Amino acid sequence: MGEPEEPQLFKTGDIILGGIFSFHSSYKTVESTYMHRPLPLQCIRYLNFRAIQFAQVMLFAIEEINNSTDILPGIKLGYKLYDLCGSIARAVKVALSLINGNEEMASMSEKPCSGSVPAIVGVTSSSPSMAISTVIGPFHTPLVSHYATCACLSNKVKYPSFLRTIPSDYYQSRALAQMVKHFGWTWVGAIRTNDDYGNNGMATFIEIASQLGICLEYSLPFFRTDPPEQTKKIIETIKGSTSKVIIAFLNHMDMDILIEEFAHHNLTGFQWVGTEGWISDSQNAQAKGHYILDGSIGLAIRKAHVTGLRDFILDFWEKTFGCIFNPINQREETLKQCTGYEDLTQIKNSFHDMSLMPYFNNVYKAVYAVAHTLHKILRCGDTICHQILEHLKKIRFETKDGEEVYFNQYGDPAAKYDIINWQPKKDGSEEFVTVGLFDASLPEEKQLHLDNLTLTWANNSKQVPISVCSGTCALGTRKVLQKGKPVCCYDCIPCAEGDVSNTTDSNTCVRCPPEFWSNKRRDECEKKETEFLSYTEIMGTILTLSSLIGACLTATVALIFFRHRNTPIVKANNSELSFLLLFSLTLCFLCSLTFIGRPSDWSCMLRHTAFGITFVLCISCVLGKTLAVLMAFKATLPGSNLMKWFGPRRQRIVVLAFTFIQIVICIVWLIANPPHPFKNLRHFKDKIILECALGSPIGFWAVLGYIGLLALLCFILAFLARKLPDNFNEAKFITFSMLIFCAVWMTFIPAYVSSPGKFSVAVEIFAILASSFGLLFCIFIPKCYIILLKPERNTKKNMMDKKS
């Protein structure tokens, strides 16, 4: 439909290879009037020496193949090289010209594929590559790029004919994220080229970085044609930021513009992390203000060498300007020495710079991949040009310098990067020092490898910069996110009691097991202190002494009664039951000792059963004495023979019967669900209370209720007999003792239920001792007083005197 596009460089041959490079960096924008046919696009601005070098590499490879007898013997390769001028529209137009054949410029050879080109080499940027691949995909014409790295181009559904000899940013973005994580930077900023290369690469980086716990404070787009306001916004954002590391997903042209602006605003002190687009670019390292990037670290295409390429490129320059780089080999005196700054369209640049050899090698491999594929197809007698794409995807060969070339299922090569560090030299220039390697073919934990070298960081520091939003949370603390900020911004708060964190930057605190508790630092669980009522503590010692004193007093009373057993006061108060009562009181005092000490299976069963049986025995004796008093006074009435039916033998039977009932209750309790040791974790968070679980609460309250029932019955009977006329009538003393007994145990119930841990045991012991002392003092001390201090009252005559 339009005028044929003229190639900028061409050579006829049996098979023509297409090449697209941006010899000019921009084009003249012409506003259409829709009145006349638009003029052809005009390329302007500077001549891109880098593109010329790439074109020279392609010519070098074609010449080398044409001179080879191993590849395509008897077939000469030609070429058509087009300038896309940085225009995507022009890129599509020249690509269509290449696959349509441009009949007026086509070769007159009758060899196969002499019309359209079998493959296109080149295109430096991702966006033009995407546009071209979309258009030429249906024609099965492969586009082999040496520089387009956007991971989106690996999509073979959208771009089936695209292949490349440079690794995909899919791997570079992951490598950058792993490197940032390796140096402990979790709070970073980012600047990206606002095109498919920068936007897609940064999107992948952000995705992986978030998985590794890295947060972006900002992510700013930039393109070299942006207005000054955008650059100003970037500078203001960086100045106001708190992160000290900047991820620069930029190409060399955008970085070249930014360097000058950053230097103008003196934006120093930031650690730059770069991509292959600029990190090893010598032009950026020589730009005004390059010191801004001192200490930069990033990923670069692996170093490579193509034998003979350097001399070929320099020879081109020498022929173009009629000079020579090496005057020693000068044969003609008229030739001057090349400086590398010869004037071409009023643009100065260093054409003999070989720092881009890795990219030259990518162009070289692309041409050879196409040549090997053509060789394979023609050797088999196949003449269908579009089949080259399927064969090209499967090609595998080694270059003359020993590098293996192949494409994976996505049309990408193996992803390997050098890790480059910018180290300033004494003369102010920059040295690119290789400090490590990233190899995506290895397991993830081994992909990133850093050599044991001294790195230079921002401000020429030898210490790794720190760039975090929040400091490291120490052991014993956990991270709590700050409201409205990314996950990397948090506060460190101590773990709660009973919780620990034994790793730094822990997100949560872990609850200690039930029998453990956190230490003061909250970084370790320690076994809880076990607590029980022991003999060694003050409370336990006091209760033990009280128990022993009570037992000794009871034994002393028994001894006094025994020595005065023949006196009237002892005989008058049923001496047999008195001695049995003293014996049971002694057991009551001693049984309280079973409640002290570490609980065990036997001690838990013994303490409650011994307490229940001895107290019933004690109350039964008191009840027997009370009944004896009542019967004795009833027997004095005319015609009464009650004492006949309630003599000493009957009294013993009553005591044994009441006690036997308690024994049966205890046996049933022990068989059904006996008391057992129990670790009480409820009452105290940091202690384990060792106590005896009741087993069956019904058994416990049955034992206690039976004792209360007997005590209440005894109190009632003693209360009825309290005013019977007798000097030695002990009914009133029994009344007081039972009153104390009942008061103590009625108070015991709420105190026992509400007391925590070992204090409940202490309450029970106190109730046993208090009631035992009440019985001892109220019943026996008055008699001991008469026996020891008032012997004149201890006579039969005094006993027989009735009180009015």
Side-chain angles (χ1 to χ4, degrees):
M1 297 292 292
E3 296 293 330
E5 283 291 337
E6 301 287 343
Q8 275 63 49
L9 296 171
F10 70 93
K11 181 179 181 180
T12 59
D14 299 318
I15 299 176
I16 306 297
L17 298 186
I20 302 176
F21 303 97
S22 188
F23 297 132
H24 292 85
S25 58
S26 187
Y27 54 89
K28 184 177 181 180
T29 303
V30 179
E31 188 172 341
S32 178
T33 62
Y34 301 98
M35 299 295 292
H36 304 283
R37 187 174 186 173
L39 295 173
L41 185 141
Q42 297 181 23
C43 299
I44 59 171
R45 299 282 305 267
Y46 308 130
L47 192 64
N48 188 346
F49 280 78
R50 182 169 302 181
I52 295 176
Q53 287 176 313
F54 291 151
Q56 288 298 305
V57 175
M58 183 173 177
L59 301 185
F60 169 77
I62 290 174
E63 185 175 319
E64 197 174 66
I65 293 168
N66 287 339
N67 293 330
S68 172
T69 57
D70 298 326
I71 303 176
L72 298 174
I75 296 177
K76 294 297 180 181
L77 295 179
Y79 53 82
K80 293 180 182 179
L81 304 187
Y82 283 89
D83 183 6
L84 63 86
C85 300
S87 168
I88 296 179
R90 179 170 171 80
V92 173
K93 187 174 183 179
V94 298
L96 288 172
S97 295
L98 285 170
I99 63 173
N100 285 334
N102 247 2
E103 296 298 332
E104 294 182 7
M105 297 296 299
S107 169
M108 300 304 294
S109 173
E110 298 298 327
K111 297 292 184 180
C113 303
S114 60
S116 64
V117 297
I120 300 174
V121 175
V123 189
T124 307
S125 302
S126 296
S127 295
S129 297
M130 294 166 65
I132 293 174
S133 298
T134 303
V135 172
I136 70 174
F139 299 98
H140 304 284
T141 303
L143 171 66
V144 187
S145 176
H146 61 286
Y147 215 107
T149 59
C150 180
C152 56
L153 287 163
S154 298
N155 185 338
K156 294 299 104 178
V157 176
K158 294 181 67 175
Y159 312 108
S161 64
F162 179 82
L163 299 97
R164 52 186 157 197
T165 54
I166 189 170
S168 164
D169 284 336
Y170 173 87
Y171 302 102
Q172 180 172 214
S173 299
R174 281 161 171 73
L176 283 175
Q178 288 189 33
M179 188 165 63
V180 170
K181 180 66 175 179
H182 174 81
F183 292 116
W185 302 324
T186 59
W187 185 237
V188 300
I191 306 175
R192 66 188 188 276
T193 295
N194 193 13
D195 62 5
D196 294 294
Y197 165 72
N199 293 331
N200 284 279
M202 184 54 63
T204 305
F205 171 81
I206 293 174
E207 178 185 353
I208 303 303
S210 62
Q211 296 173 9
L212 298 177
I214 301 167
C215 300
L216 263 69
E217 184 179 11
Y218 57 85
S219 179
L220 304 173
F222 175 77
F223 199 72
R224 52 191 171 272
T225 58
D226 283 345
E229 290 76 17
Q230 177 62 19
T231 307
K232 183 179 179 181
K233 179 182 177 182
I234 292 174
I235 292 171
E236 289 176 351
T237 301
I238 295 175
K239 283 183 175 180
S241 65
T242 57
S243 56
K244 297 301 179 183
V245 173
I246 302 176
I247 312 299
F249 220 109
L250 299 162
N251 59 46
H252 68 281
M253 293 175 286
D254 294 330
M255 178 55 82
D256 196 38
I257 295 173
L258 285 176
I259 290 174
E260 186 173 347
E261 290 296 326
F262 291 154
H264 179 69
H265 290 83
N266 197 29
L267 280 181
T268 58
F270 291 93
Q271 177 61 47
W272 291 86
V273 179
T275 60
E276 41 73 35
W278 66 269
I279 194 68
S280 60
D281 191 279
S282 59
Q283 294 181 17
N284 291 149
Q286 296 169 7
K288 181 182 179 181
H290 64 83
Y291 63 89
I292 293 293
L293 302 178
D294 284 354
S296 296
I297 191 170
L299 304 174
I301 303 301
R302 295 217 68 188
K303 290 180 179 178
H305 177 70
V306 180
T307 304
L309 177 58
R310 184 177 186 276
D311 293 336
F312 179 86
I313 292 178
L314 295 182
D315 183 59
F316 164 79
W317 193 265
E318 291 174 344
K319 290 180 178 178
T320 302
F321 291 100
C323 60
I324 188 168
F325 277 106
N326 189 356
I328 298 176
N329 298 329
Q330 184 176 343
R331 295 181 180 179
E332 299 183 20
E333 296 181 357
T334 57
L335 293 178
K336 60 181 180 180
Q337 183 176 351
C338 295
T339 65
Y341 292 91
E342 280 67 26
D343 193 352
L344 186 61
T345 66
Q346 299 180 352
I347 297 300
K348 296 182 179 180
N349 209 319
S350 179
F351 190 79
H352 65 282
D353 179 15
M354 293 293 115
S355 64
L356 296 177
M357 186 61 76
Y359 299 100
F360 299 161
N361 184 48
N362 288 342
V363 179
Y364 181 81
K365 291 187 293 185
V367 176
Y368 261 86
V370 175
H372 275 278
T373 305
L374 290 171
H375 179 82
K376 183 178 180 181
I377 293 174
L378 296 177
R379 187 180 59 184
C380 298
D382 197 338
T383 60
I384 303 175
C385 291
H386 70 259
Q387 287 191 355
I388 188 174
L389 177 60
E390 296 304 318
H391 288 280
L392 183 58
K393 290 178 179 178
K394 301 174 184 177
I395 199 67
R396 197 179 194 105
F397 66 95
E398 278 193 7
T399 65
K400 63 183 179 184
D401 294 297
E403 184 178 357
E404 189 175 23
V405 180
Y406 64 93
F407 303 101
N408 63 15
Q409 69 269 31
Y410 305 110
D412 300 329
K416 294 182 181 180
Y417 299 94
D418 286 333
I419 300 175
I420 300 296
N421 182 219
W422 284 32
Q423 298 187 3
K425 296 190 291 186
K426 292 182 179 180
D427 60 1
S429 62
E430 301 288 346
E431 180 181 6
F432 300 152
V433 180
T434 302
V435 295
L437 170 69
F438 180 86
D439 188 348
S441 64
L442 299 175
E444 186 173 346
E445 64 277 5
K446 297 181 180 179
Q447 290 177 351
L448 184 68
H449 172 74
L450 288 167
D451 298 329
N452 190 20
L453 298 175
T454 301
L455 277 71
T456 299
W457 303 101
N459 290 334
N460 292 327
S461 172
K462 298 301 178 183
Q463 298 295 324
V464 180
I466 297 175
S467 185
V468 294
C469 183
S470 300
T472 301
C473 285
L475 304 181
T477 63
R478 65 182 179 91
K479 297 192 292 187
V480 175
L481 298 181
Q482 296 177 359
K483 188 175 181 180
K485 292 188 176 181
V487 294
C488 298
C489 301
Y490 48 81
D491 296 316
C492 301
I493 65 170
C495 293
E497 289 185 342
D499 294 351
V500 297
S501 67
N502 54 11
T503 58
T504 57
D505 286 334
S506 177
N507 290 317
T508 58
C509 296
V510 180
R511 192 72 179 173
C512 289
E515 296 189 13
F516 290 81
W517 194 249
S518 56
N519 58 9
K520 290 183 178 180
R521 297 185 302 274
R522 305 284 200 273
D523 61 354
E524 188 177 11
C525 289
E526 296 179 344
K527 197 166 182 65
K528 288 181 180 179
E529 176 186 352
T530 56
E531 187 177 82
F532 54 90
L533 187 61
S534 66
Y535 294 102
T536 56
E537 61 180 299
I538 295 177
M539 186 165 56
T541 303
I542 293 174
L543 293 174
T544 301
L545 290 175
S546 300
S547 177
L548 294 175
I549 290 171
C552 292
L553 284 176
T554 306
T556 303
V557 171
L559 181 61
I560 293 171
F561 266 54
F562 180 77
R563 292 191 62 180
H564 298 84
R565 62 186 179 277
N566 294 320
T567 59
I569 197 169
V570 176
K571 290 182 178 181
N573 288 287
N574 199 332
S575 60
E576 186 175 348
L577 287 181
S578 295
F579 282 113
L580 186 58
L581 176 58
L582 288 170
F583 173 72
S584 63
L585 279 175
T586 304
L587 293 180
C588 286
F589 281 115
L590 294 178
C591 82
S592 63
L593 297 177
T594 61
F595 288 82
I596 305 174
R598 179 182 288 271
S600 64
D601 289 330
W602 284 105
S603 69
C604 287
M605 290 188 289
L606 179 62
R607 64 172 61 172
H608 288 100
T609 54
F611 152 70
I613 293 171
T614 55
F615 258 79
V616 165
L617 178 61
C618 180
I619 300 300
S620 298
C621 292
V622 175
L623 183 59
K625 291 170 70 68
T626 306
L627 289 173
V629 172
L630 285 173
M631 294 303 111
F633 281 96
K634 292 291 183 181
T636 59
L637 297 176
S640 176
N641 58 353
L642 289 175
M643 287 306 295
K644 176 183 176 181
W645 296 100
F646 201 71
R649 184 167 174 268
R650 305 279 181 162
Q651 295 173 18
R652 287 193 294 270
I653 292 174
V654 169
V655 171
L656 292 175
F658 283 135
T659 306
F660 179 74
I661 293 173
Q662 183 74 308
I663 292 173
V664 172
I665 293 174
C666 290
I667 290 174
V668 173
W669 183 14
L670 293 177
I671 293 175
N673 190 4
H676 56 272
F678 169 69
K679 294 179 179 180
N680 189 338
L681 305 174
R682 298 191 313 271
H683 286 103
F684 296 98
K685 295 181 291 186
D686 57 343
K687 294 179 182 178
I688 299 176
I689 306 299
L690 299 182
E691 56 186 35
C692 287
L694 297 177
S696 172
I698 297 175
F700 174 74
W701 292 110
V703 168
L704 204 62
Y706 183 66
I707 295 173
L709 180 64
L710 292 182
L712 182 61
L713 178 62
C714 186
F715 171 73
I716 293 172
L717 294 176
F719 182 79
L720 295 175
R722 74 189 187 286
K723 291 186 178 181
L724 292 177
D726 191 338
N727 283 344
F728 295 148
N729 178 19
E730 59 181 351
K732 56 179 173 292
F733 301 117
I734 293 174
T735 302
F736 285 122
S737 65
M738 287 298 102
L739 187 62
I740 294 173
F741 186 92
C742 292
V744 168
W745 286 101
M746 286 178 67
T747 308
F748 159 78
I749 293 174
Y752 178 81
V753 171
S754 61
S755 298
K758 64 181 181 181
F759 296 103
S760 63
V761 179
V763 167
E764 192 168 359
I765 296 173
F766 177 80
I768 293 171
L769 294 178
S771 55
S772 298
F773 275 114
L775 290 172
L776 178 64
F777 287 165
C778 291
I779 295 176
F780 292 101
I781 293 303
K783 297 181 179 62
C784 291
Y785 172 76
I786 294 174
I787 292 172
L788 297 176
L789 301 178
K790 298 292 182 179
E792 67 276 7
R793 295 176 57 185
N794 190 9
T795 60
K796 187 174 182 181
K797 178 179 179 299
N798 187 63
M799 181 188 69
M800 294 302 295
D801 289 341
K802 305 290 182 185
K803 289 189 176 182
S804 54

